[in-house]
C-alpha cells in the first residue's frame, strides 16, 4: 500500500475547519470524498493540524494510504476535478510508510492579516480583520517580541482540546505593514487551540494601550486567559509555512508569494 502526501491550499470560509464533524462540512471530509471518488477506496486523510472554522491555508499537508496506481504527478490534476474551487491540491509525493502529516511536522507558521483602514475593502471580507483605528506597528512588534522563546502559553489559548502540556516554543513573531495591510507572522513548534488568534488579539491590545508590551511576559506567567487580548476573528488567519524533518523525508510546504 502506498503512502501519499499532498500539498493543498484552501479558503476556509465555507468549512467548519479541517477536522471531520457530524453534519457540518469540513476540509477533511471533502478531501476524503474526492479521493474516494478517484480511487474507489474508503480512505482516511491525516492533516497537519486542526485549522478552525473559517481559517484558511496557503499551504497545508495531508497524507493518505491507497492501493491505487495513479502516478503521483497526475494525482493533483485528477483530484482537483473532484474538489470544489476553494480547495486545490498543488503537489503530491509518495512518502515512506512511517510519514505522518502531523507527527512528522516540526514547525508551523501562521499569518494573521489585519486590514487597518478607516474604509472597508469588500475584497478582504472573510480574508482579513477590518480594524478602522490606526495601529502602530512598532508597538505591535514590541509586544510580539515578548512571545518569542519557550513559554507556557495557557494564557493565550481557548479551552477545547486536551493537551499534555501548554508549553510551546515560538521561533519568531514578525509584524509587517504594507499600506493598509498588517501581517502578523508567527512560527512555533506547535500551536494550542486558538493560540495564534489570541496572540494577535494581545498584540492589538498593546497597540490600543490596554496593556504594555513588557507586561506580556507576566501575563504568560500567570496563565490567566482574561488578562490577555481577545481571540480575533478566524477569517484573517492563514497557515502559510510548514517544516518537515523526520529523519528520512525533508521538505517544506511554503507560500513564498503569500498574501
Amino acid at each position: 500500500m502506498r503512502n501519499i502526501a499532498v500539498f493543498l491550499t484552501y479558503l476556509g470560509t465555507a468549512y467548519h475547519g479541517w477536522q471531520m464533524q457530524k453534519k457540518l462540512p469540513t476540509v477533511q471530509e471533502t478531501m476524503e470524498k474526492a479521493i474516494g471518488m478517484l480511487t474507489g477506496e474508503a480512505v482516511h486523510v491525516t492533516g497537519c493540524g486542526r485549522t478552525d472554522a473559517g481559517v484558511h491555508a496557503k499551504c497545508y499537508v495531508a497524507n493518505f494510504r491507497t492501493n491505487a496506481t495513479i502516478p503521483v504527478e497526475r494525482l493533483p490534476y485528477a483530484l482537483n476535478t473532484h474538489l470544489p474551487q476553494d480547495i486545490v491540491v498543488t503537489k503530491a509525493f509518495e512518502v515512506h510508510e512511517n510519514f505522518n502529516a502531523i507527527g512528522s511536522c516540526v514547525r508551523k507558521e501562521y499569518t494573521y492579516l489585519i486590514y487597518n483602514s478607516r474604509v472597508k475593502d469588500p475584497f478582504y471580507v472573510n480574508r482579513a480583520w477590518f480594524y478602522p483605528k490606526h495601529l502602530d506597528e512598532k508597538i505591535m512588534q514590541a509586544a510580539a517580541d515578548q512571545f518569542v522563546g519557550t513559554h507556557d502559553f495557557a494564557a493565550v489559548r481557548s479551552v477545547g482540546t486536551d493537551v499534555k502540556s501548554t508549553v510551546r516554543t515560538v521561533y519568531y513573531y514578525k509584524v509587517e505593514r504594507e499600506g493598509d495591510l498588517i501581517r502578523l507572522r508567527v512560527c512555533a513548534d506547535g500551536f494550542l487551540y486558538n493560540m495564534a488568534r489570541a496572540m494577535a488579539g494581545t498584540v492589538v491590545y498593546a497597540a490600543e494601550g490596554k496593556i504594555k508590551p513588557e507586561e506580556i511576559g507576566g501575563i504568560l506567567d500567570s496563565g490567566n486567559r482574561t488578562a490577555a487580548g481577545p481571540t480575533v476573528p478566524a477569517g484573517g488567519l492563514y497557515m502559510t509555512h510548514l517544516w518537515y524533518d523526520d529523519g528520512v523525508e525533508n521538505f517544506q510546504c511554503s507560500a513564498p508569494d503569500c498574501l
Side-chain angles (χ1 to χ4, degrees), residues 10 15-30 32 44-53 60 102 161:
Y10 59 83
Y15 303 96
H16 289 259
W18 165 266
Q19 189 82 8
M20 187 81 72
Q21 296 188 39
K22 293 182 179 179
K23 299 181 180 180
L24 294 173
T26 66
V27 181
Q28 181 185 25
E29 177 190 30
T30 306
E32 290 183 358
H44 173 77
V45 180
T46 299
C48 62
R50 295 179 61 178
T51 55
D52 299 332
Y60 191 93
I102 189 167
T161 303

PDB file of all heavy atoms in Angstrom, residues 10 15-30 32 44-53 60 102 161:
ATOM      1  N   TYR A  10      -6.393  26.144   0.562  1.00  0.00           N
ATOM      2  CA  TYR A  10      -7.846  26.277   0.596  1.00  0.00           C
ATOM      3  C   TYR A  10      -8.295  27.549   1.298  1.00  0.00           C
ATOM      4  O   TYR A  10      -7.598  28.102   2.140  1.00  0.00           O
ATOM      5  CB  TYR A  10      -8.509  25.057   1.252  1.00  0.00           C
ATOM      6  CG  TYR A  10      -8.108  24.757   2.681  1.00  0.00           C
ATOM      7  CD1 TYR A  10      -8.702  25.414   3.757  1.00  0.00           C
ATOM      8  CD2 TYR A  10      -7.170  23.777   2.969  1.00  0.00           C
ATOM      9  CE1 TYR A  10      -8.360  25.117   5.072  1.00  0.00           C
ATOM     10  CE2 TYR A  10      -6.816  23.464   4.274  1.00  0.00           C
ATOM     11  CZ  TYR A  10      -7.419  24.141   5.320  1.00  0.00           C
ATOM     12  OH  TYR A  10      -7.077  23.848   6.616  1.00  0.00           O
ATOM     13  N   TYR A  15     -16.140  26.224   5.394  1.00  0.00           N
ATOM     14  CA  TYR A  15     -15.921  24.977   6.122  1.00  0.00           C
ATOM     15  C   TYR A  15     -15.817  25.190   7.633  1.00  0.00           C
ATOM     16  O   TYR A  15     -15.366  26.246   8.083  1.00  0.00           O
ATOM     17  CB  TYR A  15     -14.658  24.287   5.610  1.00  0.00           C
ATOM     18  CG  TYR A  15     -14.713  24.026   4.124  1.00  0.00           C
ATOM     19  CD1 TYR A  15     -14.129  24.912   3.229  1.00  0.00           C
ATOM     20  CD2 TYR A  15     -15.403  22.931   3.628  1.00  0.00           C
ATOM     21  CE1 TYR A  15     -14.209  24.706   1.869  1.00  0.00           C
ATOM     22  CE2 TYR A  15     -15.493  22.711   2.260  1.00  0.00           C
ATOM     23  CZ  TYR A  15     -14.895  23.602   1.379  1.00  0.00           C
ATOM     24  OH  TYR A  15     -14.994  23.403   0.026  1.00  0.00           O
ATOM     25  N   HIS A  16     -16.192  24.167   8.358  1.00  0.00           N
ATOM     26  CA  HIS A  16     -16.089  24.195   9.818  1.00  0.00           C
ATOM     27  C   HIS A  16     -14.752  23.593  10.241  1.00  0.00           C
ATOM     28  O   HIS A  16     -14.692  22.660  11.041  1.00  0.00           O
ATOM     29  CB  HIS A  16     -17.270  23.459  10.446  1.00  0.00           C
ATOM     30  CG  HIS A  16     -18.564  24.196  10.318  1.00  0.00           C
ATOM     31  ND1 HIS A  16     -19.120  24.934  11.346  1.00  0.00           N
ATOM     32  CD2 HIS A  16     -19.401  24.341   9.264  1.00  0.00           C
ATOM     33  CE1 HIS A  16     -20.253  25.486  10.940  1.00  0.00           C
ATOM     34  NE2 HIS A  16     -20.439  25.139   9.684  1.00  0.00           N
ATOM     35  N   GLY A  17     -13.695  24.122   9.660  1.00  0.00           N
ATOM     36  CA  GLY A  17     -12.349  23.685   9.978  1.00  0.00           C
ATOM     37  C   GLY A  17     -11.927  22.470   9.177  1.00  0.00           C
ATOM     38  O   GLY A  17     -12.617  22.008   8.259  1.00  0.00           O
ATOM     39  N   TRP A  18     -10.759  21.921   9.543  1.00  0.00           N
ATOM     40  CA  TRP A  18     -10.240  20.724   8.874  1.00  0.00           C
ATOM     41  C   TRP A  18     -10.940  19.468   9.368  1.00  0.00           C
ATOM     42  O   TRP A  18     -11.373  18.639   8.586  1.00  0.00           O
ATOM     43  CB  TRP A  18      -8.734  20.588   9.108  1.00  0.00           C
ATOM     44  CG  TRP A  18      -8.227  19.217   8.758  1.00  0.00           C
ATOM     45  CD1 TRP A  18      -8.059  18.145   9.593  1.00  0.00           C
ATOM     46  CD2 TRP A  18      -7.888  18.739   7.453  1.00  0.00           C
ATOM     47  NE1 TRP A  18      -7.634  17.034   8.903  1.00  0.00           N
ATOM     48  CE2 TRP A  18      -7.518  17.376   7.579  1.00  0.00           C
ATOM     49  CE3 TRP A  18      -7.857  19.339   6.190  1.00  0.00           C
ATOM     50  CZ2 TRP A  18      -7.120  16.607   6.490  1.00  0.00           C
ATOM     51  CZ3 TRP A  18      -7.456  18.563   5.092  1.00  0.00           C
ATOM     52  CH2 TRP A  18      -7.094  17.217   5.258  1.00  0.00           C
ATOM     53  N   GLN A  19     -11.048  19.322  10.677  1.00  0.00           N
ATOM     54  CA  GLN A  19     -11.439  18.059  11.310  1.00  0.00           C
ATOM     55  C   GLN A  19     -12.865  17.649  10.985  1.00  0.00           C
ATOM     56  O   GLN A  19     -13.789  18.471  11.003  1.00  0.00           O
ATOM     57  CB  GLN A  19     -11.292  18.188  12.835  1.00  0.00           C
ATOM     58  CG  GLN A  19     -11.447  16.900  13.598  1.00  0.00           C
ATOM     59  CD  GLN A  19     -10.164  16.081  13.600  1.00  0.00           C
ATOM     60  OE1 GLN A  19      -9.123  16.540  13.160  1.00  0.00           O
ATOM     61  NE2 GLN A  19     -10.245  14.864  14.092  1.00  0.00           N
ATOM     62  N   MET A  20     -13.046  16.360  10.688  1.00  0.00           N
ATOM     63  CA  MET A  20     -14.363  15.797  10.405  1.00  0.00           C
ATOM     64  C   MET A  20     -15.347  16.099  11.529  1.00  0.00           C
ATOM     65  O   MET A  20     -15.013  15.989  12.714  1.00  0.00           O
ATOM     66  CB  MET A  20     -14.233  14.282  10.250  1.00  0.00           C
ATOM     67  CG  MET A  20     -15.488  13.578   9.800  1.00  0.00           C
ATOM     68  SD  MET A  20     -15.717  13.691   8.028  1.00  0.00           S
ATOM     69  CE  MET A  20     -14.431  12.574   7.443  1.00  0.00           C
ATOM     70  N   GLN A  21     -16.558  16.523  11.159  1.00  0.00           N
ATOM     71  CA  GLN A  21     -17.612  16.786  12.140  1.00  0.00           C
ATOM     72  C   GLN A  21     -18.934  16.248  11.626  1.00  0.00           C
ATOM     73  O   GLN A  21     -19.163  16.154  10.415  1.00  0.00           O
ATOM     74  CB  GLN A  21     -17.743  18.296  12.400  1.00  0.00           C
ATOM     75  CG  GLN A  21     -16.525  18.934  13.032  1.00  0.00           C
ATOM     76  CD  GLN A  21     -16.796  20.366  13.444  1.00  0.00           C
ATOM     77  OE1 GLN A  21     -17.878  20.697  13.942  1.00  0.00           O
ATOM     78  NE2 GLN A  21     -15.816  21.227  13.245  1.00  0.00           N
ATOM     79  N   LYS A  22     -19.811  15.912  12.568  1.00  0.00           N
ATOM     80  CA  LYS A  22     -21.120  15.402  12.190  1.00  0.00           C
ATOM     81  C   LYS A  22     -21.967  16.515  11.578  1.00  0.00           C
ATOM     82  O   LYS A  22     -22.144  17.580  12.173  1.00  0.00           O
ATOM     83  CB  LYS A  22     -21.840  14.821  13.412  1.00  0.00           C
ATOM     84  CG  LYS A  22     -21.199  13.555  13.977  1.00  0.00           C
ATOM     85  CD  LYS A  22     -22.004  13.022  15.163  1.00  0.00           C
ATOM     86  CE  LYS A  22     -21.378  11.755  15.719  1.00  0.00           C
ATOM     87  NZ  LYS A  22     -22.142  11.233  16.895  1.00  0.00           N
ATOM     88  N   LYS A  23     -22.485  16.257  10.399  1.00  0.00           N
ATOM     89  CA  LYS A  23     -23.466  17.124   9.724  1.00  0.00           C
ATOM     90  C   LYS A  23     -22.938  18.525   9.408  1.00  0.00           C
ATOM     91  O   LYS A  23     -23.726  19.422   9.116  1.00  0.00           O
ATOM     92  CB  LYS A  23     -24.742  17.229  10.565  1.00  0.00           C
ATOM     93  CG  LYS A  23     -25.438  15.897  10.801  1.00  0.00           C
ATOM     94  CD  LYS A  23     -26.706  16.073  11.621  1.00  0.00           C
ATOM     95  CE  LYS A  23     -27.392  14.742  11.857  1.00  0.00           C
ATOM     96  NZ  LYS A  23     -28.640  14.890  12.662  1.00  0.00           N
ATOM     97  N   LEU A  24     -21.622  18.742   9.470  1.00  0.00           N
ATOM     98  CA  LEU A  24     -21.047  20.039   9.122  1.00  0.00           C
ATOM     99  C   LEU A  24     -19.940  19.833   8.099  1.00  0.00           C
ATOM    100  O   LEU A  24     -19.133  18.908   8.229  1.00  0.00           O
ATOM    101  CB  LEU A  24     -20.476  20.738  10.367  1.00  0.00           C
ATOM    102  CG  LEU A  24     -21.476  21.173  11.436  1.00  0.00           C
ATOM    103  CD1 LEU A  24     -20.748  21.680  12.680  1.00  0.00           C
ATOM    104  CD2 LEU A  24     -22.404  22.260  10.892  1.00  0.00           C
ATOM    105  N   PRO A  25     -19.870  20.676   7.067  1.00  0.00           N
ATOM    106  CA  PRO A  25     -18.842  20.494   6.034  1.00  0.00           C
ATOM    107  C   PRO A  25     -17.450  20.842   6.556  1.00  0.00           C
ATOM    108  O   PRO A  25     -17.265  21.869   7.212  1.00  0.00           O
ATOM    109  CB  PRO A  25     -19.281  21.473   4.940  1.00  0.00           C
ATOM    110  CG  PRO A  25     -20.059  22.535   5.670  1.00  0.00           C
ATOM    111  CD  PRO A  25     -20.756  21.826   6.789  1.00  0.00           C
ATOM    112  N   THR A  26     -16.484  19.984   6.304  1.00  0.00           N
ATOM    113  CA  THR A  26     -15.103  20.216   6.703  1.00  0.00           C
ATOM    114  C   THR A  26     -14.180  19.918   5.522  1.00  0.00           C
ATOM    115  O   THR A  26     -14.567  19.245   4.557  1.00  0.00           O
ATOM    116  CB  THR A  26     -14.687  19.341   7.892  1.00  0.00           C
ATOM    117  OG1 THR A  26     -14.678  17.972   7.485  1.00  0.00           O
ATOM    118  CG2 THR A  26     -15.629  19.530   9.080  1.00  0.00           C
ATOM    119  N   VAL A  27     -12.953  20.405   5.620  1.00  0.00           N
ATOM    120  CA  VAL A  27     -11.983  20.167   4.546  1.00  0.00           C
ATOM    121  C   VAL A  27     -11.599  18.691   4.500  1.00  0.00           C
ATOM    122  O   VAL A  27     -11.479  18.100   3.421  1.00  0.00           O
ATOM    123  CB  VAL A  27     -10.743  21.057   4.737  1.00  0.00           C
ATOM    124  CG1 VAL A  27      -9.745  20.832   3.589  1.00  0.00           C
ATOM    125  CG2 VAL A  27     -11.128  22.537   4.792  1.00  0.00           C
ATOM    126  N   GLN A  28     -11.410  18.072   5.660  1.00  0.00           N
ATOM    127  CA  GLN A  28     -11.054  16.653   5.693  1.00  0.00           C
ATOM    128  C   GLN A  28     -12.117  15.797   5.004  1.00  0.00           C
ATOM    129  O   GLN A  28     -11.799  14.924   4.175  1.00  0.00           O
ATOM    130  CB  GLN A  28     -10.882  16.186   7.137  1.00  0.00           C
ATOM    131  CG  GLN A  28     -10.476  14.722   7.251  1.00  0.00           C
ATOM    132  CD  GLN A  28     -10.421  14.235   8.691  1.00  0.00           C
ATOM    133  OE1 GLN A  28     -11.086  14.779   9.570  1.00  0.00           O
ATOM    134  NE2 GLN A  28      -9.614  13.223   8.945  1.00  0.00           N
ATOM    135  N   GLU A  29     -13.366  16.021   5.335  1.00  0.00           N
ATOM    136  CA  GLU A  29     -14.453  15.263   4.723  1.00  0.00           C
ATOM    137  C   GLU A  29     -14.461  15.453   3.206  1.00  0.00           C
ATOM    138  O   GLU A  29     -14.628  14.482   2.439  1.00  0.00           O
ATOM    139  CB  GLU A  29     -15.795  15.721   5.303  1.00  0.00           C
ATOM    140  CG  GLU A  29     -16.998  15.044   4.666  1.00  0.00           C
ATOM    141  CD  GLU A  29     -18.316  15.686   5.091  1.00  0.00           C
ATOM    142  OE1 GLU A  29     -18.320  16.897   5.376  1.00  0.00           O
ATOM    143  OE2 GLU A  29     -19.317  14.964   5.126  1.00  0.00           O
ATOM    144  N   THR A  30     -14.272  16.689   2.758  1.00  0.00           N
ATOM    145  CA  THR A  30     -14.284  16.982   1.330  1.00  0.00           C
ATOM    146  C   THR A  30     -13.138  16.284   0.618  1.00  0.00           C
ATOM    147  O   THR A  30     -13.307  15.727  -0.479  1.00  0.00           O
ATOM    148  CB  THR A  30     -14.212  18.502   1.112  1.00  0.00           C
ATOM    149  OG1 THR A  30     -15.260  19.144   1.848  1.00  0.00           O
ATOM    150  CG2 THR A  30     -14.366  18.851  -0.358  1.00  0.00           C
ATOM    151  N   GLU A  32     -11.564  13.499   1.657  1.00  0.00           N
ATOM    152  CA  GLU A  32     -11.777  12.056   1.678  1.00  0.00           C
ATOM    153  C   GLU A  32     -12.797  11.625   0.625  1.00  0.00           C
ATOM    154  O   GLU A  32     -12.635  10.582  -0.027  1.00  0.00           O
ATOM    155  CB  GLU A  32     -12.205  11.612   3.076  1.00  0.00           C
ATOM    156  CG  GLU A  32     -11.068  11.714   4.094  1.00  0.00           C
ATOM    157  CD  GLU A  32     -11.441  11.223   5.481  1.00  0.00           C
ATOM    158  OE1 GLU A  32     -12.603  10.820   5.687  1.00  0.00           O
ATOM    159  OE2 GLU A  32     -10.563  11.226   6.368  1.00  0.00           O
ATOM    160  N   HIS A  44      -8.762   7.335   4.889  1.00  0.00           N
ATOM    161  CA  HIS A  44      -8.663   8.302   5.982  1.00  0.00           C
ATOM    162  C   HIS A  44      -7.525   9.247   5.650  1.00  0.00           C
ATOM    163  O   HIS A  44      -6.406   8.802   5.376  1.00  0.00           O
ATOM    164  CB  HIS A  44      -8.395   7.612   7.316  1.00  0.00           C
ATOM    165  CG  HIS A  44      -8.112   8.589   8.430  1.00  0.00           C
ATOM    166  ND1 HIS A  44      -9.107   9.316   9.055  1.00  0.00           N
ATOM    167  CD2 HIS A  44      -6.934   8.976   9.013  1.00  0.00           C
ATOM    168  CE1 HIS A  44      -8.565  10.100   9.973  1.00  0.00           C
ATOM    169  NE2 HIS A  44      -7.256   9.908   9.962  1.00  0.00           N
ATOM    170  N   VAL A  45      -7.803  10.538   5.653  1.00  0.00           N
ATOM    171  CA  VAL A  45      -6.788  11.546   5.345  1.00  0.00           C
ATOM    172  C   VAL A  45      -6.330  12.196   6.643  1.00  0.00           C
ATOM    173  O   VAL A  45      -7.147  12.724   7.408  1.00  0.00           O
ATOM    174  CB  VAL A  45      -7.330  12.620   4.384  1.00  0.00           C
ATOM    175  CG1 VAL A  45      -6.252  13.653   4.075  1.00  0.00           C
ATOM    176  CG2 VAL A  45      -7.821  11.976   3.095  1.00  0.00           C
ATOM    177  N   THR A  46      -5.035  12.137   6.909  1.00  0.00           N
ATOM    178  CA  THR A  46      -4.453  12.759   8.094  1.00  0.00           C
ATOM    179  C   THR A  46      -3.936  14.138   7.727  1.00  0.00           C
ATOM    180  O   THR A  46      -3.142  14.286   6.798  1.00  0.00           O
ATOM    181  CB  THR A  46      -3.292  11.901   8.643  1.00  0.00           C
ATOM    182  OG1 THR A  46      -3.793  10.619   9.007  1.00  0.00           O
ATOM    183  CG2 THR A  46      -2.655  12.569   9.860  1.00  0.00           C
ATOM    184  N   GLY A  47      -4.392  15.158   8.444  1.00  0.00           N
ATOM    185  CA  GLY A  47      -3.958  16.524   8.173  1.00  0.00           C
ATOM    186  C   GLY A  47      -2.873  16.977   9.122  1.00  0.00           C
ATOM    187  O   GLY A  47      -2.683  16.392  10.200  1.00  0.00           O
ATOM    188  N   CYS A  48      -2.162  18.029   8.753  1.00  0.00           N
ATOM    189  CA  CYS A  48      -1.044  18.526   9.557  1.00  0.00           C
ATOM    190  C   CYS A  48      -1.497  19.336  10.764  1.00  0.00           C
ATOM    191  O   CYS A  48      -0.678  19.699  11.620  1.00  0.00           O
ATOM    192  CB  CYS A  48      -0.107  19.361   8.694  1.00  0.00           C
ATOM    193  SG  CYS A  48      -0.875  20.837   7.984  1.00  0.00           S
ATOM    194  N   GLY A  49      -2.784  19.640  10.865  1.00  0.00           N
ATOM    195  CA  GLY A  49      -3.281  20.399  12.002  1.00  0.00           C
ATOM    196  C   GLY A  49      -4.771  20.632  11.886  1.00  0.00           C
ATOM    197  O   GLY A  49      -5.350  20.503  10.808  1.00  0.00           O
ATOM    198  N   ARG A  50      -5.380  20.993  13.014  1.00  0.00           N
ATOM    199  CA  ARG A  50      -6.828  21.207  13.046  1.00  0.00           C
ATOM    200  C   ARG A  50      -7.127  22.692  12.906  1.00  0.00           C
ATOM    201  O   ARG A  50      -7.351  23.382  13.891  1.00  0.00           O
ATOM    202  CB  ARG A  50      -7.420  20.661  14.340  1.00  0.00           C
ATOM    203  CG  ARG A  50      -7.300  19.151  14.485  1.00  0.00           C
ATOM    204  CD  ARG A  50      -7.879  18.677  15.808  1.00  0.00           C
ATOM    205  NE  ARG A  50      -9.303  18.992  15.920  1.00  0.00           N
ATOM    206  CZ  ARG A  50     -10.065  18.659  16.963  1.00  0.00           C
ATOM    207  NH1 ARG A  50      -9.521  18.017  17.980  1.00  0.00           N
ATOM    208  NH2 ARG A  50     -11.343  18.968  16.993  1.00  0.00           N
ATOM    209  N   THR A  51      -7.111  23.199  11.686  1.00  0.00           N
ATOM    210  CA  THR A  51      -7.480  24.597  11.500  1.00  0.00           C
ATOM    211  C   THR A  51      -8.945  24.778  11.888  1.00  0.00           C
ATOM    212  O   THR A  51      -9.782  23.910  11.668  1.00  0.00           O
ATOM    213  CB  THR A  51      -7.263  25.045  10.044  1.00  0.00           C
ATOM    214  OG1 THR A  51      -7.984  24.171   9.157  1.00  0.00           O
ATOM    215  CG2 THR A  51      -5.781  25.017   9.680  1.00  0.00           C
ATOM    216  N   ASP A  52      -9.248  25.942  12.484  1.00  0.00           N
ATOM    217  CA  ASP A  52     -10.598  26.215  12.979  1.00  0.00           C
ATOM    218  C   ASP A  52     -11.539  26.605  11.847  1.00  0.00           C
ATOM    219  O   ASP A  52     -11.112  26.891  10.726  1.00  0.00           O
ATOM    220  CB  ASP A  52     -10.556  27.357  14.004  1.00  0.00           C
ATOM    221  CG  ASP A  52      -9.691  27.026  15.206  1.00  0.00           C
ATOM    222  OD1 ASP A  52      -9.575  25.836  15.527  1.00  0.00           O
ATOM    223  OD2 ASP A  52      -9.146  27.965  15.815  1.00  0.00           O
ATOM    224  N   ALA A  53     -12.813  26.666  12.163  1.00  0.00           N
ATOM    225  CA  ALA A  53     -13.815  27.106  11.197  1.00  0.00           C
ATOM    226  C   ALA A  53     -13.471  28.494  10.676  1.00  0.00           C
ATOM    227  O   ALA A  53     -13.181  29.405  11.450  1.00  0.00           O
ATOM    228  CB  ALA A  53     -15.192  27.118  11.856  1.00  0.00           C
ATOM    229  N   TYR A  60      -0.909  23.499   3.084  1.00  0.00           N
ATOM    230  CA  TYR A  60      -1.371  22.519   4.059  1.00  0.00           C
ATOM    231  C   TYR A  60      -0.890  21.160   3.560  1.00  0.00           C
ATOM    232  O   TYR A  60      -0.876  20.903   2.349  1.00  0.00           O
ATOM    233  CB  TYR A  60      -2.901  22.549   4.157  1.00  0.00           C
ATOM    234  CG  TYR A  60      -3.471  21.767   5.313  1.00  0.00           C
ATOM    235  CD1 TYR A  60      -3.744  22.377   6.529  1.00  0.00           C
ATOM    236  CD2 TYR A  60      -3.732  20.408   5.187  1.00  0.00           C
ATOM    237  CE1 TYR A  60      -4.257  21.664   7.601  1.00  0.00           C
ATOM    238  CE2 TYR A  60      -4.243  19.682   6.248  1.00  0.00           C
ATOM    239  CZ  TYR A  60      -4.506  20.319   7.453  1.00  0.00           C
ATOM    240  OH  TYR A  60      -5.007  19.594   8.511  1.00  0.00           O
ATOM    241  N   ILE A 102       0.948  15.128  10.484  1.00  0.00           N
ATOM    242  CA  ILE A 102       1.018  15.912  11.717  1.00  0.00           C
ATOM    243  C   ILE A 102       2.198  15.491  12.586  1.00  0.00           C
ATOM    244  O   ILE A 102       2.907  16.330  13.145  1.00  0.00           O
ATOM    245  CB  ILE A 102      -0.314  15.851  12.500  1.00  0.00           C
ATOM    246  CG1 ILE A 102      -0.284  16.857  13.664  1.00  0.00           C
ATOM    247  CG2 ILE A 102      -0.637  14.447  12.968  1.00  0.00           C
ATOM    248  CD1 ILE A 102      -1.638  17.103  14.303  1.00  0.00           C
ATOM    249  N   THR A 161      -9.450  21.578  23.505  1.00  0.00           N
ATOM    250  CA  THR A 161      -8.704  20.381  23.142  1.00  0.00           C
ATOM    251  C   THR A 161      -7.755  20.028  24.276  1.00  0.00           C
ATOM    252  O   THR A 161      -6.964  20.869  24.718  1.00  0.00           O
ATOM    253  CB  THR A 161      -7.901  20.602  21.848  1.00  0.00           C
ATOM    254  OG1 THR A 161      -8.802  20.990  20.802  1.00  0.00           O
ATOM    255  CG2 THR A 161      -7.187  19.325  21.424  1.00  0.00           C
TER     256      THR A 161
END
